[in-house]
Amino acid sequence: MDRTADQDAVRAANARCFSGDHPQRAADPRVVAFYDAVTSYYPDRGPRAAQSGSPWASAPLHAEADHIHMRLDENCADVVLEMIEKYAAQFHLDLLDLQDGSVYRAF
C-alpha cells in the first residue's frame, strides 16, 4: 500500500482479501522480493516446506499481487518474526497482525 495509507485502509484491504477480492494487476516488486527473501530461508513449497522446524502453520503461503498472507505456527521461533520484520522494513511493507488487528509500519 501507499505509505500514506492509514491502518484502517490496511485492515480493509485484508478484509477484501478474505472475501476473495484481489486486484488484477502486475505483482508489486516489493512483495515479490519479500516473498523470495522469506521463502529462501523457510520454503513454503516442496519437500523442505514440510520439514520439522518450518514456521508455517499452512503452506504454501497465500501470495497475491499486493500482499502475502503468512499463517505462522504457534511455536515458531522469535528469529522468524525478526526476519519477517527485517524484510518488511527492507522492502517498505506494512505488517498486519491478524490476532489483534495491529498494523506495523516496517519502514
Side-chain angles (χ1 to χ4, degrees):
M1 298 189 78
D2 185 287
R3 288 185 180 191
T4 61
D6 65 18
Q7 294 189 9
D8 289 334
V10 174
R11 289 184 200 98
N14 180 68
R16 285 190 301 277
C17 169
F18 276 107
S19 72
D21 182 15
H22 296 99
Q24 299 300 311
R25 62 182 178 97
D28 185 320
R30 299 171 306 149
V31 173
V32 173
F34 174 84
Y35 175 85
D36 289 345
V38 169
T39 59
S40 72
Y41 286 95
Y42 301 105
D44 68 327
R45 300 171 192 273
R48 285 187 52 209
Q51 286 181 346
S52 173
S54 173
W56 311 126
S58 66
L61 303 180
H62 173 83
E64 292 292 335
D66 62 347
H67 67 276
I68 307 293
H69 180 252
M70 299 171 288
R71 189 164 163 241
L72 297 170
D73 183 274
E74 64 185 37
N75 296 317
C76 87
D78 287 344
V79 68
V80 176
L81 300 173
E82 293 165 1
M83 180 204 54
I84 290 169
E85 291 171 358
K86 176 183 102 172
Y87 285 125
Q90 180 178 337
F91 299 115
H92 306 288
L93 298 171
D94 294 329
L95 295 171
L96 171 62
D97 184 337
L98 294 177
Q99 290 180 322
D100 65 6
S102 298
V103 176
Y104 301 93
R105 300 282 182 189
F107 42 89

